[in-house]
Amino acid sequence: DALPLSLPLRFTTDAAERAALWHIRKGLYTTVAEARAPGTTALLEDVVVPVPTLLDACAGLRDLFAAHGYEDSVIFGHAKDGNIHFMLSERLGEPSGVDRYRAFTDDMVELILGLGGSLKAEHGTGRIMAPFVRRQYGDELYAVMQEVKRLFDPHGILNPGVLLSDDPDSYLRDLKTAPPVEDEVDRCVECGYCEPACPSRDLTLTPRQRIVLRRELRAAQLAGDEALAAELRDDYEYAGVQTCAVDGMCQTACPVNINTGDLVRLLRGESASRVAAGAWDAAAAAWGPVSRGGGVALTVA
């Protein structure tokens, strides 16, 4: 038994071929995440199973993707270690999306633990898997973990709900949504590869930060928080728009070819249009008194 392959399996020792394959592998997450539908959030998980059960784990995940309607999901990782990364996208701003994600996660946890695996491999437990730690390790070990946590954090103020959580639904709260904004914003996966190439990174914002703030502004607008939206707009004019070099260097480092400068040019155009419109509005408002004054002057003359 084997998973279906698009091409026959082949190993290579050719340096150029290996470099090309590694380039594909390293860009897989960003490439797949960039292709997600606008308004969806890319979710990446990190599990591990005993190597002899790796095929069963991959096949089981594919079955779960199909059962829960995650057709755009992808599996990658480190096969020799039984370490699987998989990515799916979901509309976490909609109750139906959160419900689907909950159902999938429950089934995924059952699959991985049923194969003798671990719900986290190399990237740490974080928030999403925190409610499932007890199920994986059992009550006795979980109690030890809680005691260690209490020794270092007796008041429970250090990242509550991270690593350990007794609330089974804690991972479903405060989920990161991605409301549609502009094309450059919607495609970004916030990987941060653009940041070292940005001339303004030490002055105001990086390209990633410019995009994140556009999302936050849109989220504030959708939530009806006009005070926050106004504050973000005011601060963004200088930090996000005026100080961008629009040189396109960010695009050279971006795995999905986003040029944040194009976004800034668009925003500058909109800003200039608003200024011009304001000037014409002011002129129109003052036209009556000006014309009357001119009429009086001509009459006197």
Side-chain angles (χ1 to χ4, degrees):
D1 294 335
L3 292 173
L5 301 176
S6 299
L7 296 171
L9 178 64
R10 183 174 66 88
F11 292 95
T12 180
T13 58
D14 181 84
E17 286 187 320
R18 292 172 63 181
L21 291 171
W22 271 115
H23 180 74
I24 294 172
R25 163 61 182 84
K26 291 179 178 180
L28 186 59
Y29 166 70
T30 50
T31 301
V32 174
E34 181 264 344
R36 73 194 186 283
T40 61
T41 298
L43 297 158
L44 182 66
E45 277 301 341
D46 164 51
V47 298
V48 63
V49 295
V51 173
T53 66
L54 179 62
L55 176 59
D56 293 334
C58 292
L61 283 172
R62 284 164 56 93
D63 290 341
L64 291 182
F65 295 153
H68 293 280
Y70 288 120
E71 294 87 358
D72 60 349
S73 299
V74 63
I75 298 173
F76 54 104
H78 313 285
K80 73 178 182 64
D81 302 313
N83 183 193
I84 303 168
H85 304 315
F86 64 86
M87 196 209 79
L88 50 85
S89 58
E90 184 57 271
R91 296 185 183 277
L92 296 177
E94 301 176 2
S96 60
V98 175
D99 289 342
R100 180 169 71 156
Y101 179 56
R102 180 209 301 267
F104 168 82
T105 302
D106 285 342
D107 288 346
M108 183 273 294
V109 168
E110 192 70 26
L111 169 68
I112 298 303
L113 295 184
L115 293 172
S118 172
L119 299 175
K120 279 297 172 182
E122 59 177 340
H123 291 295
T125 301
R127 296 181 183 275
I128 300 299
M129 289 298 116
F132 303 100
V133 172
R134 183 195 294 269
R135 189 189 305 185
Q136 176 174 337
Y137 290 97
D139 291 340
E140 184 176 356
L141 280 178
Y142 188 73
V144 173
M145 296 178 192
Q146 287 182 310
E147 181 60 25
V148 172
K149 168 71 170 173
R150 278 192 291 269
L151 289 173
F152 285 93
D153 183 21
H155 302 293
I157 61 174
L158 302 178
N159 274 351
V162 178
L163 298 182
L164 304 176
S165 175
D166 291 325
D167 181 354
D169 293 332
S170 62
Y171 73 104
L172 299 173
R173 286 192 288 275
D174 301 317
L175 291 169
K176 184 174 183 177
T177 59
V181 191
E182 295 97 0
D183 177 64
E184 291 84 359
V185 174
D186 295 342
R187 290 165 51 213
C188 178
V189 298
E190 300 180 19
C191 64
Y193 292 157
C194 58
E195 295 186 313
C198 178
S200 69
R201 65 185 182 277
D202 296 323
L203 175 64
T204 50
L205 300 176
T206 67
R208 181 183 66 85
Q209 291 168 335
R210 286 183 168 90
I211 284 176
V212 168
L213 284 174
R214 292 296 294 171
R215 285 178 171 153
E216 291 300 314
L217 172 58
R218 183 58 178 153
Q221 292 170 332
L222 292 174
D225 191 342
E226 287 304 320
L228 176 59
E231 184 178 358
L232 287 172
R233 273 194 299 268
D234 290 344
D235 290 345
Y236 197 84
E237 180 61 28
Y238 174 75
V241 177
Q242 294 180 17
T243 54
C244 176
V246 295
D247 59 355
M249 289 301 295
C250 50
Q251 186 177 23
T252 65
C254 177
V256 295
N257 208 35
I258 295 173
N259 186 343
T260 313
D262 290 341
L263 170 64
V264 172
R265 289 188 189 93
L266 173 66
L267 297 176
R268 285 177 179 174
E270 292 176 353
S271 179
S273 297
R274 287 195 298 271
V275 171
W280 284 112
D281 288 344
W287 183 250
V290 170
S291 62
R292 287 194 297 273
V296 170
L298 289 173
T299 301
V300 172

